[in-house]
Amino acid sequence: EVQVVESGGGSVQAGGSLRLSCTASGFSVDGSDMGWFRSVPGSECELVTSLNMDGATYYADSVKGRFTISQDGAKNMVYLQMNSLKPEDTAVYYCAADPLGATMSGVGCRGQGTQVTVSS
């Protein structure tokens, strides 16, 4: 069964850091494009960052220079290091394979997700 499980969310003050983890099963992250999405009630699901199999990365303008996506093929995990967090980063964060396909299909913000709350 193809599955991803997000973890690592929490509450932090503005300027702080968090590292989110995504544990994948049923497929290899090394053989997949991977991405992180986030959602806020009343807003559309947003692709925050992606990491392609060829190493190319994408970052939304709002997180450039603050967030970093990485993966560990041996552990089959994907990470999102979030630094200099801002209150507007408050959202539920989701991990997904094939982020382009997930965006086009509107399924990027499906699953358990992990809540990140940044207070000012």
Side-chain angles (χ1 to χ4, degrees), residues 20-76:
L20 306 185
S21 298
C22 169
T23 302
S25 58
F27 71 101
S28 170
V29 299
D30 278 344
S32 306
D33 298 339
M34 298 297 298
W36 286 93
F37 293 79
R38 66 186 180 187
S39 70
V40 177
S43 298
E44 291 186 359
C45 179
E46 175 190 17
L47 175 62
V48 175
T49 179
S50 64
L51 174 60
N52 290 354
M53 285 182 282
D54 62 2
T57 56
Y58 161 82
Y59 293 95
D61 287 343
S62 58
V63 306
K64 279 181 181 176
R66 300 187 299 120
F67 289 13
T68 303
I69 187 172
S70 63
Q71 68 182 43
D72 185 332
K75 295 182 178 180
N76 214 32

